[in-house]
Amino acid sequence: MAQTDTFETENIEKRTLAFAERDSTLYLDFYQKKGDTAVRPCVIFVFGGGFAVGSRDERAYHSYFKNLVNRGLKVASIDYRLGLAGIYDEVGIFNTKPLGTAIDMAVADLYEATAFLLSESEALGLAPSSFIVSGSSAGAITSLQADWYLKNTNELSEILPDNFRYAGVIAFAGAIFSTTGKPRYPNPPSPTLFFHGTDDKTVPYSKRRLLNKGLFGSAVLAKHFLKEGYPFFLVSEREARHSIAVSAMSERLDEILQFIGTAVLSESHFQKEITLIPIQGK
């Protein structure tokens, strides 16, 4: 376990820990209340940036981390390999292979971070049954994809214990990439909180597909969850674009905490949809 430093405020500490060796060392930043030895749920956060750019330590996410820690959780913000770095512009509806490869790389690294945190759960004061995965944009895609793969026993998930499941998923403008049509779950997904703008041009709110291959966004996934009786909470913001991938972390904190408190910690399962409609001229 590596260096310890203070995270902007006197009551939150941040430790940077190495969790995997790939082409380079992958790190995570671990946040908790200073001196906290209690066993608590952990939010594993995956940053955004189109699988081409981004950092686990971007200031845009700091208030989200602080709000979670100050409300009794611990946070691990992770590195992952950027599979589209330098080739982002080559991806299109007729060339989705690089995207699929990049997503799988990110999911594999998320699983590595999860396995590391499970192995260190006693030392870090984590409840292994209360790991929540959360992400923004590309990180939200990674989070949703990881839960989908886990419930489909994808070989990437073999690094995790057989009985492991994420306690919840919080996706800020995410989707699932599928080459076999609309995603299905042979085993029920984890309770999921979706945030998405209906006019998102970066990650589709509904879907972007060619035949059976494409990205299936929050609206499509929530509709499937509703039909199958899976627990979810969908917050749609009408006319909003991709900025919701970051803005919802602070603007929709009440919904985030409600979801964690009920669907995740209390396991009170429900289905809920909210549509936010802007008032013209306000």
Side-chain angles (χ1 to χ4, degrees):
M1 294 189 178
Q3 77 187 75
T4 302
D5 57 51
T6 301
F7 180 58
E8 295 188 7
T9 62
E10 293 182 0
N11 68 326
I12 297 177
E13 64 180 12
K14 166 188 164 185
R15 281 180 283 172
T16 300
L17 313 173
F19 70 84
E21 291 293 336
R22 300 296 195 184
D23 295 334
S24 59
T25 304
L26 298 179
Y27 295 94
L28 62 83
D29 291 331
F30 183 75
Y31 301 92
Q32 66 174 20
K33 281 282 188 72
K34 191 172 183 179
D36 186 6
T37 58
V39 176
R40 300 189 184 278
C42 181
V43 175
I44 305 172
F45 183 77
V46 191
F47 64 83
F51 301 101
V53 296
S55 166
R56 69 179 190 274
D57 193 35
E58 288 183 26
R59 294 186 66 86
Y61 309 132
H62 285 186
S63 63
Y64 182 49
F65 301 160
K66 287 191 287 187
N67 281 328
L68 294 175
V69 170
N70 284 326
R71 285 158 177 83
L73 297 107
K74 299 183 181 183
V75 175
S77 182
I78 71 167
D79 280 340
Y80 61 92
R81 290 165 294 167
L82 300 174
L84 294 184
I87 61 169
Y88 181 84
D89 291 339
E90 298 177 16
V91 176
I93 195 66
F94 296 105
N95 184 28
T96 59
K97 186 176 180 180
L99 176 61
T101 299
I103 293 171
D104 282 359
M105 289 169 62
V107 169
D109 294 343
L110 169 56
Y111 287 156
E112 284 278 3
T114 302
F116 170 80
L117 290 166
L118 286 170
S119 71
E120 297 292 330
S121 58
E122 185 174 353
L124 296 173
L126 304 179
S129 62
S130 298
F131 281 20
I132 303 161
V133 63
S134 176
S136 170
S137 189
I141 293 172
T142 303
S143 300
L144 291 167
Q145 197 89 15
D147 191 58
W148 183 51
Y149 279 174
L150 193 58
K151 303 309 164 52
N152 280 270
T153 58
N154 182 284
E155 62 181 12
L156 291 176
S157 67
E158 291 176 359
I159 189 175
L160 299 174
D162 290 341
N163 62 347
F164 176 80
R165 67 188 297 272
Y166 291 111
V169 180
I170 303 173
F172 299 98
I176 287 176
F177 176 72
S178 172
T179 60
T180 57
K182 186 186 301 181
R184 307 290 182 181
Y185 292 83
N187 298 295
S190 299
T192 302
L193 171 57
F194 303 96
F195 291 99
H196 221 129
T198 62
D199 288 359
D200 194 327
K201 306 301 182 187
T202 304
V203 178
Y205 173 70
S206 180
K207 58 183 177 286
R208 186 180 301 142
R209 66 186 293 183
L210 178 64
L211 300 176
N212 285 329
K213 185 185 299 184
L215 283 168
F216 297 83
S218 300
V220 171
L221 298 175
K223 184 178 180 179
H224 181 60
F225 278 41
L226 181 65
K227 178 181 177 182
E228 298 297 326
Y230 302 144
F232 76 95
F233 189 169
L234 170 64
V235 181
S236 305
E237 187 168 340
R238 191 171 296 177
E239 299 179 13
R241 297 199 175 188
H242 197 59
S243 59
I244 199 172
V246 175
S247 64
M249 293 180 196
S250 56
E251 294 176 3
R252 309 259 64 91
L253 183 61
D254 288 345
E255 287 90 342
I256 294 167
L257 297 176
Q258 180 191 29
F259 172 78
I260 293 173
T262 55
V264 177
L265 302 184
S266 298
E267 296 187 17
S268 176
H269 293 162
F270 59 89
Q271 297 178 324
K272 184 175 182 180
E273 296 184 54
I274 292 177
T275 300
L276 305 172
I277 303 172
I279 298 175
Q280 299 299 323
K282 299 292 184 181

